[in-house]
Amino acid sequence: MTELPFSATTPTHIAKVGLKARDADALAKFYRQLLGLSELARRSGAIVLGVEGRELLEIESAPSAKPDDPRSAGLFHTAFLLPTRKDLARWVRHAGENRIAVTGASDHLVSEALYLNDPEGNGIEIYADRPKETWKKNGGDIAMATERLNIENLLGEIDASTPAWHDAPEATVIGHVHLRVGDPKAAEDWWHSELGFDTMARYGSQAVFLASGGYHHHIGANSWASAGAGPRDPDRAGLAYVELASSDHAGRTLRDPWGTEIRVKAV
């Protein structure tokens, strides 16, 4: 059995993300080509994608939905965690060869990441963690930052003999989900009280990072473009739900203060 990354071994972690799409087939094709996810099922008007039979993304067809509003509460990005730094380097080479447009590339100290958007405006992060033993503390917080990613150093992990990117590695998971919220403090309080998450770091008053079991973050919540946002409009495309796997809270379906659906299944 393939060993999953640390993020997926904590008592509560991300299992799957649900998206509502105006063109589900086109969006599913995009994620298949972007990451090499496999189509696992079609059910109830939705396309399910994943890796080695493990569901990661469910894309619900909603042709009449209004486009997502980036100023509202909703999805900032879904973060696909690759098993190794070498895998991330392979994906970077794949992105370059296929002219996949990225919107950013950052070194977060605990991880290295690239960012882009899907055709319907949903944010995506593709990242690899540094070993947990190298993570540092800043006071009581995990030390995280946003610095320039050294692409040349990253690509030094591979050479011409390294296999090309075709399918997502077997241990690929959704490492975290970053949400747009109206008030990060209210989000922090909700994740504390409802699901027992710990605060791992804050970026001032505009972003908070929360986790289970000592990971650097399973949930990010920011108000960079959505300060003061009210409940999410259910008629818009974008985030449909976040599904957690938990040994402590299984069987619950919750809604955060902005109406975002949080489903919890058993590990």
Side-chain angles (χ1 to χ4, degrees):
M1 182 175 177
T2 300
E3 184 177 349
L4 295 178
F6 171 51
S7 72
T9 66
T10 59
T12 302
H13 52 268
I14 307 296
K16 181 169 59 179
V17 168
L19 299 177
K20 185 183 294 185
R22 288 151 57 87
D23 188 338
D25 283 300
L27 204 59
K29 180 180 179 181
F30 173 83
Y31 281 96
R32 291 198 304 268
Q33 293 177 340
L34 177 74
L35 281 162
L37 300 181
S38 299
E39 182 174 316
L40 303 180
R42 292 193 177 225
R43 61 187 181 223
S44 304
I47 303 168
V48 181
L49 304 176
V51 178
E52 294 293 321
R54 189 174 60 258
E55 297 183 4
L56 298 181
L57 203 60
E58 183 172 17
I59 303 173
E60 173 191 343
S61 179
S64 62
K66 296 178 286 187
D68 192 22
D69 178 359
R71 298 166 300 178
S72 69
L75 181 67
F76 189 66
H77 61 238
T78 301
F80 294 90
L81 174 58
L82 304 182
T84 69
R85 191 173 194 250
K86 185 173 183 178
D87 290 319
L88 184 62
R90 289 174 56 231
W91 184 85
V92 169
R93 183 175 65 184
H94 165 75
E97 291 172 348
N98 290 276
R99 299 190 178 186
I100 295 170
V102 300
T103 58
S106 297
D107 184 332
H108 294 301
L109 306 184
V110 295
S111 63
E112 295 172 287
L114 292 100
Y115 298 91
L116 63 155
N117 295 312
D118 74 21
E120 298 206 4
N122 299 297
I124 299 167
E125 176 179 342
I126 299 171
Y127 76 114
D129 278 332
R130 288 200 166 94
K132 182 178 183 292
E133 298 74 29
T134 69
W135 300 354
K136 297 179 180 179
K137 288 288 189 75
N138 181 9
D141 292 350
I142 294 282
M144 293 193 286
T146 301
E147 300 178 351
R148 184 184 67 84
L149 180 62
N150 188 332
I151 295 287
E152 289 185 6
N153 181 273
L154 176 61
L155 290 174
E157 293 281 337
I158 59 175
D159 58 29
S161 67
T162 305
W165 184 277
H166 293 295
D167 299 320
E170 188 174 344
T172 299
V173 299
I174 296 178
H176 68 268
V177 175
H178 199 145
L179 301 172
R180 306 186 309 251
V181 300
D183 179 357
K185 183 62 171 67
E188 181 179 18
D189 292 345
W190 187 87
W191 284 92
H192 284 181
S193 63
E194 295 295 334
L195 288 158
F197 276 36
D198 299 314
T199 299
M200 307 306 290
R202 298 182 183 89
Y203 283 7
S205 62
Q206 293 187 313
V208 62
F209 301 91
L210 304 123
S212 165
Y215 189 53
H216 56 72
H217 71 293
H218 290 105
I219 293 293
N222 79 69
S223 61
W224 293 323
S226 56
R232 180 166 172 76
D233 182 351
D235 294 326
R236 287 194 181 276
L239 184 63
Y241 65 85
V242 176
E243 182 178 87
L244 307 176
S246 179
S247 57
D248 301 323
H249 303 279
R252 303 176 69 194
T253 298
L254 310 167
R255 290 189 181 274
D256 76 3
W258 299 273
T260 298
E261 183 174 316
I262 309 297
R263 303 176 182 178
V264 190
K265 71 171 189 176
V267 171

